[in-house]
Amino acid sequence: PIPSSAMNTLGPFFQPAGRFATMSTLLLPTAAILGFYFARKNGLEDMVAVDTKLRVALIIHGVYFSVLPLMFEGGLDVAGVLLDKLGLNSFGHIPEKPDNLFWQMTHLSGELFFVATVAYLVMATLTFVPRWTLLVPLAQVAYNLKNSLVWLVLYKWFSPTGTPNYMMGADFLTIFPLAVIYALTFLDGKAKLS
């Protein structure tokens, strides 16, 4: 763990691996999405069937994300207390004196989860979607899997506390199968014939 004196000197949002190393992890989801884009560049406007696997994946993803805006904006403190009581809190805690940056990031997180929830649940109601729309859930799972790598494997270099975020193991077990379904559908989904 990073000594608290170093954390106080470096600030509450210090990243042990450094800003360059942290930003370089963004190359992983970027490379994944560029790979998907170029693999199907000529078929992005094709209509792909929303089969049962894709529909179930989108519903699971949408329902999973639907509770997060409420939790982030209205119950983050309650969730932390409950996890503390269960001995499962590997996330951390709300700062004693949250500032406007913390407040803003909380609402922006809620906003992005809300937008994803709407997109996934609407897509799940359709019979066909343009192939390019699958880049939305693919981008989310690619970024999510990058986070899983940082939180669960590379935490020694990235975590301000030097500890893993074990609760995100459950997130990985949810997101990884969804990523496989989205990837296979994007790459192999049959286009609707006109």
Side-chain angles (χ1 to χ4, degrees):
I2 308 298
S4 62
S5 60
M7 288 299 292
N8 291 336
T9 304
L10 298 169
F13 303 108
F14 169 68
Q15 296 140 343
R19 294 182 198 282
F20 181 75
T22 300
M23 288 186 293
S24 70
T25 66
L26 295 174
L27 295 174
L28 298 170
T30 302
I33 293 307
L34 286 173
F36 283 118
Y37 174 83
F38 285 110
R40 289 307 231 149
K41 183 180 175 187
N42 295 328
L44 292 175
E45 294 185 74
D46 291 346
M47 298 299 285
V48 177
V50 179
D51 62 11
T52 303
K53 287 188 307 282
L54 179 58
R55 188 177 320 282
V56 170
L58 290 164
I59 291 170
I60 289 169
H61 210 166
V63 170
Y64 176 32
F65 277 19
S66 71
V67 299
L68 297 176
L70 298 171
M71 186 185 80
F72 276 106
E73 295 190 30
L76 205 52
D77 54 339
V78 175
V81 169
L82 291 173
L83 290 172
D84 281 344
K85 289 197 179 295
L86 296 170
L88 298 173
N89 193 346
S90 63
F91 295 109
H93 299 88
I94 294 176
E96 191 173 310
K97 294 181 180 180
D99 57 16
N100 277 353
L101 178 63
F102 179 85
W103 182 41
Q104 179 184 0
M105 293 299 106
T106 301
H107 284 88
L108 289 173
S109 294
E111 174 186 339
L112 294 174
F113 283 116
F114 176 79
V115 170
T117 297
V118 170
Y120 301 157
L121 294 179
V122 168
M123 289 170 71
T125 68
L126 303 174
T127 306
F128 293 93
V129 294
R131 188 181 311 275
W132 74 262
T133 62
L134 293 171
L135 288 172
V136 174
L138 278 168
Q140 192 287 314
V141 296
Y143 206 101
N144 206 135
L145 292 173
K146 180 275 298 181
N147 286 343
S148 294
L149 178 67
V150 171
W151 291 331
L152 298 169
V153 178
L154 302 175
Y155 64 88
K156 290 178 186 176
W157 297 279
F158 289 92
S159 168
T161 63
T163 58
N165 194 341
Y166 286 123
M167 288 293 292
M168 296 317 292
D171 177 77
F172 173 81
L173 293 175
T174 302
I175 294 298
F176 184 74
L178 300 178
V180 171
I181 292 167
Y182 297 148
L184 292 176
T185 303
F186 182 83
L187 294 172
D188 296 331
K190 302 298 182 241
K192 176 183 178 184
L193 299 175
S194 302

